[in-house]
Structure formats: structure tokens, C-alpha cells
Amino acid sequence: MAVTPKQRRTQEERTAQTRLALIEAAISAIHEMGYTGTNTATIAERAGVSRGAMLHHFGTRAALMAEVVRHVFEGEMAEYEETRLATGLGDRLDDWPKLLWSVLGRPSGLAVLEILQATRSDAELAASVVPMQEAVERSALQVMQGAFGGNEVLARSVMRLMVWSVRGLSIAERYLPHREENEAAIALLSQLLKLAAPDGTMVPLAALGKEKP
């Protein structure tokens, strides 16, 4: 019997739902138990599918982790844009430490951080995740340059300063939970960026990058 377009769409929807369930299950498991404490059986059980079904959709755990990185990034970028449109937060460069802080410390952001850290001792994981992370950074870099100018080297430096400062503070928030101090550090980073780039773009930072130490 021929498969109708409607049936094909239904199968595609089921596939997408299963993949999303596995990604979300991986995020929750890694956040609760850490990357090393999370295995494929646990992820499959949380997603409500068999381990074989999980491997059918992603092939390997490393491939699933790469998709977690991509999925989280796309969700974060969509949320940043929604916040910017709704509140205006994000129109200036010095808005971004606060904006990043509101998102990167969530379970999804912390799960990605654990995955990235695990690539150091897992060659298979690194082979799947590192190229995905590099692609994510390139996409973010294009957005950053489009919004605030700067050449690629400068934009990448500023982006990494902000993102990894916030990621580091998100680790501190988890293991040294002094919320007021961590939020004060975020506010300080924003103020430093505002002083260095008072017009809210990267243009003034280009001159700083040319100064000799």
C-alpha cells in the first residue's frame, strides 16, 4: 500500500519527537548525575524508548551528545532573540553578560559544559562534539559581528570573554552557591564592558586591542 504524504509527515513527527525526548533525557540525566554517571540505558529509559531505538536514531552516545550541543545552542539563540525583542536587553554589548547569565546556568547549559569537559579524555566524544561546538561558535560569531561590528579576531575574543566568564561563574554557582557574589561579578563584567565600549558596540574595543602591554 502506498504511503500518503500525511502518513509520511506523521512518521517524521514521531521521529522528531523521539529524538527530542532522547536529547531532553540526556540533558536531565547529565545535569543530575554528571556525564560519567550517565549511560545510554539511563537516557533511553528516561526517554521511554529502548536502547536499541536510541542507537537507531543517533548511532552512538557521542553522536547524541553532539546533537545535545546543537539543540541547546539553537534554543539559547532563540531565547536571546525573543528576550531582545520583548525587552531590548541585548541591544548593547554590555547587556550580554546578564543575558548569558540568565540562560547558561540552566540544566541545559551545565549539561553542555559537562559534555565539553568530557571531550578531554574521550576521543570518540571529541570527534563528534568538538566540530559541533566549533560550528556553534561560528554561528554565534556571525550574530555577534552583525550586531556589534568588529573584525573576526576581536569579535571572537569578546564573545569568548563573555561566554566563558559566565560559564565559569555558573560552575561557581553550582559548587560555591553564593548568589549575590556571583551576580555582582556579572554586573561588574557588564560595567567594565560599558566603560570600555560606551557606545555599546565593539568599535571602541578595536583601539584597545592595538595597545601594547
Side-chain angles (χ1 to χ4, degrees):
M1 183 176 67
V3 178
T4 67
K6 182 176 181 180
Q7 289 173 316
R8 284 198 295 271
R9 285 196 300 272
T10 301
Q11 178 60 41
E12 289 167 2
E13 289 169 357
R14 286 200 295 268
T15 297
Q17 288 170 356
T18 300
R19 288 173 66 86
L20 178 60
L22 285 163
I23 289 170
E24 291 180 341
I27 290 170
S28 67
I30 293 169
H31 181 250
E32 291 176 24
M33 299 180 290
Y35 180 80
T36 57
T38 298
N39 56 40
T40 53
T42 299
I43 295 170
E45 181 181 0
R46 289 192 178 213
V49 303
S50 68
R51 183 174 178 275
M54 190 204 83
L55 296 176
H56 169 74
H57 284 283
F58 291 103
T60 64
R61 183 171 80 155
L64 170 58
M65 296 306 150
E67 283 302 302
V68 168
V69 172
R70 180 196 60 76
H71 173 79
V72 171
F73 169 74
E74 290 181 353
E76 289 170 349
M77 293 302 290
E79 184 166 352
Y80 295 144
E81 181 62 10
E82 289 172 5
T83 300
R84 189 187 67 79
L85 292 174
T87 67
L89 186 68
D91 286 338
R92 292 178 52 88
L93 188 63
D94 50 89
D95 289 336
W96 277 85
K98 182 178 180 180
L99 193 55
L100 291 164
W101 176 247
S102 71
V103 174
L104 293 182
R106 295 177 183 174
S108 57
L110 292 170
V112 166
L113 187 55
E114 291 222 21
I115 292 169
L116 294 176
Q117 290 173 316
T119 62
R120 180 181 179 185
S121 57
D122 187 330
E124 181 186 7
L125 181 68
S128 292
V129 169
V130 172
M132 181 65 74
Q133 177 62 22
E134 290 173 343
V136 161
E137 186 174 85
R138 285 194 299 271
S139 296
L141 188 62
Q142 291 176 355
V143 173
M144 181 74 67
Q145 283 187 272
F148 304 113
N151 61 42
E152 182 176 341
V153 173
L154 175 61
R156 191 185 300 275
S157 296
V158 174
M159 183 176 69
R160 285 184 174 176
L161 171 64
M162 293 191 296
V163 170
W164 289 97
S165 293
V166 173
R167 284 197 186 280
L169 285 166
S170 72
I171 296 173
E173 180 67 16
R174 185 170 187 178
Y175 299 109
L176 300 170
H178 302 290
R179 188 73 181 183
E180 291 184 3
E181 289 90 339
N182 292 328
E183 289 185 341
I186 294 293
L188 178 58
L189 179 57
S190 293
Q191 288 298 315
L192 291 172
L193 283 170
K194 189 172 184 178
L195 289 170
D199 67 351
T201 76
M202 290 194 200
V203 175
L205 298 178
L208 292 177
K210 295 176 182 178
E211 292 183 358
K212 299 294 183 181

